[in-house]
Amino acid sequence: MNPIRSLSTSLFPWPSLARGDKNFLADWIAEDTVQQRLAFCLASIFIGGGCYGAAIGAWHSLEMAAYVAIKLPLIIVVTFGLNGLINGMIATLVGADLSLRQTWLSILSAFSIFSLVLLSLSPVTLYFTLNLPGPDAPPPAAAKAHQLLLIGHVIVLGLSGIAAMQRLWRLLISKTERPFFLIALWIFSNGFVGAQIAYLFRPIFGTPGLKIAFLRPDAFDGNFYESLLWAMEHCLK
Amino acid sequence: MNESTEDTISTPHDLFGICEALMKRPLALIHELADRDLPRIALWLMAISLVGFAVFGAALGSFAGGDQVWQAPLKVLLAGLGTGVITLPSLFVFTCLSGYEISLRQVAIQMLGMSALTAMLLLGVSPVVWVFAQSTTSVAFFSLLSMTLGLAAFAFGYRLLEKTRRLLGCKPSLYSNLWLAIFAFVSLQMMVSLKPIEIEPKVVAKTAEAAIGR
């Protein structure tokens, strides 16, 4: 590798991370550089997640855009923090040759790829968001736009998350005999906890008619899965 | 670039040379642009894009007349270049996710090539669009005609993009198809929100009169 390319890879490792280069990833999670990499991953999450969060909140107002730009990266970081121990345990149980710190870095790397994908989709998302009827539009239009945004963002976030975790494949096949199982368990654990953290940090999309707030006063009442069950029962009635 | 193109060209220096190369040997031109730093060619390609989109827009605007004659060129320009700018980051990231080594500059050059070829073809069909704009009263027919010609021009532009990507070793993948879907959604939304064929009341009246006359 020539020196210029080497420098650009070390300064901007996002493309190499997104490609999931096996050798690059093996160097990336080497024990001696873990702290620098952690800082890079966290910065990536705040930049990428922040831009996408701003695009989500822009539907409501600039205030909401600022709130969600802060909250979306926080949701990722809190999910990572809460799941850190269990993710490490899962890796050990599956027999992966990864230390706890390497497990954290692998997952944080996946989150930073996730944030990169979100960053790249932010202009598209913002454009569509600004073209939809706003929350002040007459009731059926505002409610429909809100539902459309909700479904659209959930699909984008879900698929980006799966694509990001899948990038770890090339690294994990050299670390465990069951990489698919490990990735599936990580996707499940992070998805399960992430959905609840996002629920606690609501409003994310800003229901039309409700006041804008950083957190709802009843933030800790109920959980995502209860609400999902309620919504499903409501639909079936 | 990894492979050599099927034909080599001497670098064109003037506008006509670049237009000719874009029509006859687009792949070689983009290859040349990507391999060597040629800001002049890049600027010419950008100028071709601007002029092509603006002239096509003017032809569309002549259908409704009035303010649309100067508004439509701006709208088409904004739609064409805006779609490119909005979808450029996702093309780069999706190419990386497909596992290919590519720089943002290379992706931008590919997009520029696609945009210039599309605009060039739109420029070519503009006189035809203008003739129909002057002689047709049916909004549906004119919209269908413009859309068909626009799609045909885009198909050639996209084909060039795919070819330049293949030259770099990037094969079509799920991500490239996903990007194409995003591009299509954004450009359609651009057309819906900017309405380059906005119909003014007098045109509606003209259409109604023509229908009654029949």
Side-chain angles (χ1 to χ4, degrees), chain B residues 10-41:
Chain B
S10 57
T11 311
H13 293 289
D14 58 346
L15 177 62
F16 290 107
I18 290 169
C19 287
E20 195 188 348
L22 193 59
M23 300 301 292
K24 289 185 180 170
R25 301 173 292 263
L27 202 55
L29 183 74
I30 302 304
H31 174 247
E32 192 87 348
L33 187 59
D35 262 10
R36 297 158 56 187
D37 194 19
L38 300 168
R40 239 176 95 181
I41 294 185

Side-chain angles (χ1 to χ4, degrees), chain A residues 153-220:
Chain A
H153 286 306
V154 168
I155 291 172
V156 169
L157 291 166
L159 291 181
S160 305
I162 292 170
M165 277 291 179
Q166 192 207 355
R167 292 294 92 194
L168 296 180
W169 178 263
R170 287 187 197 172
L171 170 75
L172 294 179
I173 47 174
S174 63
K175 299 285 181 187
T176 173
E177 288 173 358
R178 292 187 290 173
F180 179 79
F181 189 50
L182 180 55
I183 288 180
L185 284 177
W186 277 351
I187 289 176
F188 174 75
S189 66
N190 289 314
F192 184 79
V193 176
Q196 175 60 15
I197 301 302
Y199 182 84
L200 297 180
F201 274 82
R202 70 200 192 282
I204 304 292
F205 301 103
T207 310
L210 288 185
K211 206 181 160 191
I212 295 172
F214 189 76
L215 289 177
R216 293 253 171 91
D218 57 345
F220 282 88

Side-chain angles (χ1 to χ4, degrees), chain B residues 13 18 25 32 36-37 60 98 102 119 161 163-164 186 207-208 213:
Chain B
H13 293 289
I18 290 169
R25 301 173 292 263
E32 192 87 348
R36 297 158 56 187
D37 194 19
L60 291 184
S98 303
I102 197 165
L161 180 87
K163 277 184 174 180
T164 48
V186 173
T207 310

Side-chain angles (χ1 to χ4, degrees), chain A residues 119-137:
Chain A
L119 179 67
S120 77
L121 291 173
S122 298
V124 177
T125 311
L126 182 66
Y127 175 67
F128 276 104
T129 301
L130 296 179
N131 272 285
L132 285 171
D136 301 329

Side-chain angles (χ1 to χ4, degrees), chain A residues 1 5 14-16 18-21 113 116-117 119-121 123-125 127-128 131 159 163-164 166-167 170, chain B residues 85-87 89-102 175 178 182 185-186 189-191 193-194:
Chain A
M1 193 184 273
R5 184 181 280 187
W14 267 356
S16 303
R19 278 196 299 275
D21 293 342
I113 299 166
L116 171 66
V117 178
L119 179 67
S120 77
L121 291 173
V124 177
T125 311
Y127 175 67
F128 276 104
N131 272 285
L159 291 181
Q166 192 207 355
R167 292 294 92 194
R170 287 187 197 172
Chain B
V85 171
I86 286 176
T87 55
S90 46
L91 178 62
F92 172 58
V93 170
F94 284 12
T95 308
C96 289
L97 285 175
S98 303
Y100 299 115
E101 196 166 341
I102 197 165
Y175 289 108
L178 195 61
I182 291 173
F185 271 122
V186 173
Q189 182 58 36
M190 281 277 181
M191 289 298 160
S193 54
L194 292 172

Side-chain angles (χ1 to χ4, degrees), chain B residues 10 13 41 47 51 61-62 72 76 88-89 95 130 166 192 200 202:
Chain B
S10 57
H13 293 289
I41 294 185
V51 173
S62 70
V76 174
L88 177 65
T95 308
W130 179 78
R166 277 202 198 127
V192 169
E200 291 182 356
K202 66 172 186 182

Side-chain angles (χ1 to χ4, degrees), chain B residues 2 9 45 50-51 74 80 88 93 124 141 151 186 212:
Chain B
N2 303 333
I9 54 162
L45 289 180
L50 294 175
V51 173
L74 289 178
L88 177 65
V93 170
F141 175 81
L151 275 177
V186 173
I212 292 164

